[in-house]
Amino acid sequence: MKPPNRARQLVAVSVGNAVEWFDWYIYSILAIYFAGQFFPKTSEDSLLPLLSTLAIFAVGFFARPVGGLVIGVLADRFGRRRALSGTIVGMGIGSLMIGAVPTYEQIGVAAPIILLIARIIQGASAGGEYAAGSAFIVESAPPGRRGLFSSVLYISATSANLTAIGLSALLATTLSSENMTSWGWRIPFILGSVAAMVGLWVRRHAQETLHEDVIDKPKSARVGMFDFFREHPKSALQIFGLTAAPALAFYVWTAYLPTYASITVGFDVQKGLITGVISLTIFLLALPLFGALSDRVGRKPLLVTFGLFFTIATVPLLSSLQPTMGSLLFVQITGLLFIAAWASISAAIVAELFPSRLRSSGIGFPYALAVAVFGGTGPYIATWLVEIGQGDRFAWYIAAVAAVSTAVYLFLPETGKSTLR
């Protein structure tokens, strides 16, 4: 296998990953606008539409382990490039379905069912994207630069989040509230489905990183569905444990925090879009710095720093929220800087725990399961706790999960200087 053109590899994974995550993020950002169109309000409970929409958000997350497992195995059998082409097509189809689905008033209960199916398709695609993408980008990296290359996944994902927030803010400020609620929210989903086709074209020109000998194996010798767990159970459990706290913190701080501030302290959610742009820009700039740092000092120091911070500081940080932009900006930037210590190197860490023939499947299922269990349910748990008058307990929940992940970090082997297996 000839050495890959690394610039082309970076473009292929970045563009495709950005498109996929734009389609994924836009749902949680715009949920507050379209929730009432699929779940009618009741006079007794004004939070019911948002809760129901976030429940479907969580269901989409639980489709991710299935996608991580199935697409991960396919990536280990037939190559990373084919798998990554399939994930971007699935994400585009799901986005198009959401953008075009009629409302509850027009077709009744079929509307939320279509919404649910679309999110399941997107969830499976997102699970497979990380599984194949992590293996692809780390296998494309030169020796001693895996941490830096790893940061590209979250750089592109964060760029997609910024684009989603910026477009949402633009629509919210140029359209009336009525137009935004009735049809304006559909525009980003339609654009996302079109962009997915562009990402597919880019990925078709990338170079495969899985060795030809693995791809050309006879059927009887190919990777089985759970071979990664039978051969490397400890690594699989480590990936689940080390991902739990970051998944929860990441989705709260990047997507849900303005909504949380809105329902807890009365913050204006539209101003939250502005704070999101500022804080995520700082997060994005920090990612390559932390990635490069991990190539010098190792992965564990960054992981332990992240874990200890969220174990100790989450409760005082979220308790300090006030209904002002300055308060939300401080909380969001502080949290995201420590999340960057993990996000920059997450792909490198998980890829370094498995050999090439099992890398995508070994990453896909345990990582996506942790994201589903902790990241996908975070917004719903927070909203539910606020509804029952126990909103302050959410910060303690994050701190407890962070303590568990920190224990995993302390016992992880240091893989930053090792040769990729």
Side-chain angles (χ1 to χ4, degrees):
M1 179 182 292
K2 66 178 181 179
N5 181 319
R6 294 192 171 98
R8 181 183 298 173
Q9 301 294 86
L10 288 172
V11 170
V13 77
S14 298
V15 172
N17 197 53
V19 170
E20 290 230 24
W21 288 109
F22 172 87
D23 290 348
W24 182 260
Y25 284 130
I26 204 71
Y27 182 98
S28 60
I29 294 171
L30 296 179
I32 199 165
Y33 292 105
F34 65 78
Q37 296 215 6
F38 298 99
F39 302 96
K41 289 183 179 180
T42 68
S43 58
E44 295 83 10
D45 192 351
S46 60
L47 280 179
L48 180 61
L50 182 58
L51 277 170
S52 301
T53 308
L54 290 176
I56 287 185
F57 180 75
V59 169
F61 269 91
F62 277 95
R64 290 177 66 160
V66 177
L69 178 62
V70 175
I71 297 174
V73 170
L74 292 177
D76 285 338
R77 288 181 180 180
F78 306 111
R80 321 304 190 201
R81 189 179 64 173
R82 290 184 185 178
L84 289 170
S85 296
T87 61
I88 201 167
V89 170
M91 190 64 78
I93 290 172
S95 189
L96 180 61
M97 290 173 65
I98 296 172
V101 61
T103 64
Y104 184 92
E105 185 177 314
Q106 293 170 323
I107 60 174
V109 72
I113 290 176
I114 294 173
L115 189 67
L116 175 64
I117 293 171
R119 285 303 284 181
I120 290 174
I121 294 172
Q122 288 191 321
S125 299
E129 171 71 17
Y130 189 84
S134 295
F136 178 86
I137 194 64
V138 174
E139 290 167 353
S140 298
R145 305 291 294 277
R146 295 196 301 263
L148 178 60
F149 269 53
S150 169
S151 68
V152 168
L153 282 186
Y154 272 90
I155 289 173
S156 57
T158 305
S159 300
N161 200 354
L162 283 168
T163 303
I165 292 173
L167 181 57
S168 300
L170 177 65
L171 291 171
T173 53
T174 56
L175 297 177
S176 67
S177 178
E178 292 77 14
N179 286 338
M180 188 66 185
T181 302
S182 62
W183 56 268
W185 63 268
R186 296 181 183 272
I187 295 174
F189 290 103
I190 301 298
L191 292 176
S193 65
V194 174
M197 298 303 101
V198 177
L200 174 63
W201 179 83
V202 172
R203 284 190 164 175
R204 289 175 66 89
H205 292 82
Q207 182 178 331
E208 180 56 59
T209 61
L210 183 63
H211 201 279
E212 292 92 338
D213 291 348
V214 178
I215 299 174
D216 294 337
K217 279 186 176 181
K219 286 186 177 181
S220 59
R222 286 178 181 171
V223 173
M225 193 67 74
F226 286 98
D227 282 359
F228 72 92
F229 192 76
R230 283 191 288 268
E231 297 183 28
H232 301 275
K234 183 179 179 181
S235 295
L237 293 173
Q238 285 173 329
I239 288 179
F240 180 86
L242 67 87
T243 304
L248 175 58
F250 180 80
Y251 284 101
V252 170
W253 257 261
T254 59
Y256 183 70
L257 197 60
T259 302
Y260 179 75
S262 173
I263 63 178
T264 54
V265 297
F267 183 80
D268 183 353
V269 71
Q270 290 191 3
K271 292 181 180 178
L273 293 176
I274 299 173
T275 64
V277 170
I278 296 171
S279 57
L280 282 171
T281 299
I282 295 172
F283 174 72
L284 186 150
L285 295 173
L287 287 168
L289 301 179
F290 280 123
L293 179 63
S294 79
D295 287 328
R296 295 177 64 87
V297 304
R299 319 296 188 215
K300 287 184 67 172
L302 275 68
L303 292 176
V304 173
T305 298
F306 159 83
L308 289 177
F309 173 81
F310 276 94
T311 301
I312 298 168
T314 299
V315 174
L317 196 61
L318 291 185
S319 299
S320 72
L321 276 172
Q322 301 293 325
T324 63
M325 283 186 62
S327 173
L328 181 62
L329 196 59
F330 172 77
V331 172
Q332 203 160 18
I333 290 174
T334 303
L336 283 173
L337 282 175
F338 283 90
I339 292 171
W342 166 83
S344 61
I345 57 174
S346 65
I349 297 161
V350 295
E352 288 162 354
L353 290 174
F354 279 96
S356 176
R357 61 175 291 271
L358 296 170
R359 185 163 290 135
S360 288
S361 53
I363 294 170
F365 185 73
Y367 176 89
L369 185 62
V371 170
V373 171
F374 297 100
T377 60
Y380 185 87
I381 291 172
T383 306
W384 173 72
L385 286 171
V386 171
E387 186 186 31
I388 65 173
Q390 302 291 332
D392 57 335
R393 294 190 178 184
F394 185 60
W396 288 101
Y397 169 63
I398 296 174
V401 177
V404 174
S405 286
T406 303
V408 176
Y409 302 149
L410 292 172
F411 290 97
L412 273 179
E414 177 55 70
T415 57
K417 302 295 184 180
S418 62
T419 302
L420 196 63
R421 296 161 68 185

